[in-house]
Amino acid sequence: MINISSWKKYRIEDLFDIRPTKHYNAKNALLFDELGTNPVVGNVAYNNGIGGYTDKPNTEKGNIITFSDTTNANTIFYRESDFVGYSHVQGMYPKFNRVTPNILMFILTIFYKTAINKGYDYDFKFTRNYAKNIEIPLPTTHQQEIDFDFMEEYIENIKQNVNYRIKLIKHIKDTPVRIDVNKWKKFHLYDDQLFEIDMGNKLDKIKMTDKNPTIDFVGRSHNNNGVTAKVDKIFGIQPYKPGYLTLALGGEYLGSCFVQQNNFYTSQNLVVLKPKTKMTMYQKQFIATMIFKEGRRKYKAFVDELNRHVKSDFSFYLPVINDTSNIDWEFMEQFMKKQAVKAEQNFNFFNTNS
């Protein structure tokens, strides 16, 4: 434990200039690129805030902190390298002179914890004005100035203690997966080989009970397979069966697609995909990944969401047999099995070197 009794509180506004990041005023379909190399920082709370990649020039320099002002505080991230900004993504530009990755990571951690504890959400959004007025404790020297040396050394020690994690990452990166998708074809969700689109239960979690919870409640989340709670079974409403897919149509986690493992109900703005043909778990997982990737690439939360596209023009790539329109189910099966084997190998590597 760190003794913080001598630390002083500082307002974020005194430490950072917070302003919107520079961005291209373009729809996702024109912004993101399959072969893009420059990261686009979006309004997402996963993948370090990177919503995709583009071939357009970077708009922002790295070594800053960013967050989204459209939702909660889960989108606070450190940006190591240059990137492309996005609407509603705020940049935190340091006013102090000693700006190193370690110091920014130290401040970010305290800022993140403080902001999370304030309970920001979709209704009580984490805006720039709220962020500026947050006070955070920081270590100080005997001269009552910010102790940058302490922050630098503290984070550096943490890095040294987790070197085995870096070793794992390098091990994984040494075996990249590359697929030739040039002969793949686009399919709609409702095509004969794929799904029946069910609009879901549209239930409100706040009205659910959990005295004897036996049913998964699937919401617009990217964590835990989209399951946000366990709830009681509702008299007169039959849960959906395991093996169906769920797809979030909007919000921060637009495009999140999962194969459900248990009986479930769904929240609003989420559809259920019922396979029209027999599919294995591996094949469903492959398709869910492709749906998610296309959803994030082409559509934009709160601007151009999937709601009005899901039953009409939303389409995504899948492998086909010999340039026909027949989906190559075997390719998907074998590909996902190989990834499962690699995941197990990486897990074993991690445990051996931890």
Side-chain angles (χ1 to χ4, degrees), residues 166-346:
I166 298 173
K167 188 176 181 181
L168 170 64
I169 292 171
K170 288 181 178 178
H171 170 74
I172 295 173
K173 285 185 176 180
D174 285 342
T175 55
V177 177
R178 299 201 178 273
I179 305 173
D180 182 7
V181 301
N182 289 325
K183 293 184 179 180
W184 290 19
K185 291 190 177 181
K186 278 198 168 185
F187 292 85
H188 295 95
L189 287 171
Y190 51 78
D191 283 345
D192 290 340
Q193 300 177 72
L194 293 173
F195 304 100
E196 172 192 343
I197 303 174
D198 186 299
M199 297 312 291
N201 302 120
K202 300 183 179 179
L203 298 174
D204 191 342
K205 187 173 71 173
I206 199 171
K207 297 179 181 178
M208 311 289 283
T209 60
D210 57 359
K211 295 179 180 178
N212 183 30
T214 58
I215 309 298
D216 287 351
F217 185 79
V218 181
R220 288 166 295 172
S221 171
H222 195 66
N223 299 317
N224 194 31
N225 227 43
V227 178
T228 59
K230 277 278 191 182
V231 298
D232 296 335
K233 186 174 181 179
I234 302 173
F235 179 76
I237 301 180
Q238 192 67 22
Y240 290 101
K241 299 176 181 179
Y244 290 164
L245 283 69
T246 55
L247 171 60
L249 301 178
E252 179 185 359
Y253 302 110
L254 178 154
S256 294
C257 189
F258 299 103
V259 185
Q260 295 306 321
Q261 308 297 310
N262 306 304
N263 291 333
F264 65 96
Y265 292 129
T266 68
S267 69
Q268 300 178 31
N269 213 19
L270 187 148
V271 296
V272 178
L273 305 178
K274 301 178 178 179
K276 292 180 179 178
T277 58
K278 188 175 181 180
M279 302 178 189
T280 68
M281 177 59 71
Y282 288 121
Q283 292 160 354
K284 292 174 184 176
Q285 289 173 336
F286 187 102
I287 293 172
T289 303
M290 298 307 297
I291 290 172
F292 172 73
K293 182 177 180 181
E294 192 69 9
R296 299 304 305 186
R297 189 180 75 85
K298 287 192 65 175
Y299 302 96
K300 190 172 183 180
F302 312 110
V303 178
D304 184 25
E305 299 191 320
L306 272 174
N307 310 64
R308 58 195 181 90
H309 301 279
V310 69
K311 286 190 172 184
S312 56
D313 59 335
F314 175 64
S315 60
F316 54 97
Y317 285 100
L318 288 177
V320 294
I321 300 174
N322 298 329
D323 203 28
T324 66
S325 294
N326 297 318
I327 296 173
D328 193 340
W329 299 101
E330 184 62 19
F331 174 88
M332 294 190 286
E333 179 82 7
Q334 295 307 318
F335 179 84
M336 294 305 290
K337 283 183 176 179
K338 288 179 182 178
Q339 300 317 302
V341 170
K342 287 182 179 180
E344 183 176 359
Q345 290 173 343
N346 290 332

Side-chain angles (χ1 to χ4, degrees), residues 123-175:
D123 296 320
F124 180 35
K125 295 183 186 297
F126 184 52
T127 65
R128 178 174 52 193
N129 286 334
Y130 285 130
K132 290 195 301 185
N133 289 300
I134 286 178
E135 289 188 336
I136 61 171
L138 291 178
T140 55
T141 64
H142 293 302
Q143 291 75 33
Q144 296 300 298
E145 296 177 347
I146 297 176
D147 193 342
F148 291 109
D149 286 336
F150 176 89
M151 293 191 284
E152 184 76 42
E153 294 172 6
Y154 185 84
I155 296 297
E156 189 59 36
N157 285 335
I158 290 178
K159 287 181 178 180
Q160 292 178 9
N161 289 333
V162 295
N163 275 339
Y164 69 93
R165 293 182 184 272
I166 298 173
K167 188 176 181 181
L168 170 64
I169 292 171
K170 288 181 178 178
H171 170 74
I172 295 173
K173 285 185 176 180
D174 285 342
T175 55

Side-chain angles (χ1 to χ4, degrees), residues 76-139:
I76 301 173
F77 294 106
Y78 169 65
R79 309 257 68 90
E80 180 179 15
S81 59
D82 297 351
F83 64 95
V84 174
Y86 200 76
S87 60
H88 292 289
V89 173
Q90 301 288 332
M92 298 177 62
Y93 305 88
K95 293 181 178 180
F96 47 89
N97 293 326
R98 190 166 170 182
V99 185
T100 69
N102 284 355
I103 288 170
L104 288 180
M105 285 296 297
F106 188 100
I107 294 174
L108 178 151
T109 303
I110 299 173
F111 176 50
Y112 176 88
K113 183 176 181 180
T114 304
I116 285 292
N117 288 337
K118 291 185 178 292
Y120 297 103
D121 55 26
Y122 283 105
D123 296 320
F124 180 35
K125 295 183 186 297
F126 184 52
T127 65
R128 178 174 52 193
N129 286 334
Y130 285 130
K132 290 195 301 185
N133 289 300
I134 286 178
E135 289 188 336
I136 61 171
L138 291 178

Side-chain angles (χ1 to χ4, degrees), residues 14-30:
D14 295 330
L15 299 171
F16 296 92
D17 175 26
I18 304 178
R19 60 180 185 270
T21 55
K22 301 183 186 71
H23 63 278
Y24 297 100
N25 189 21
K27 290 185 176 182
N28 285 2
L30 299 176

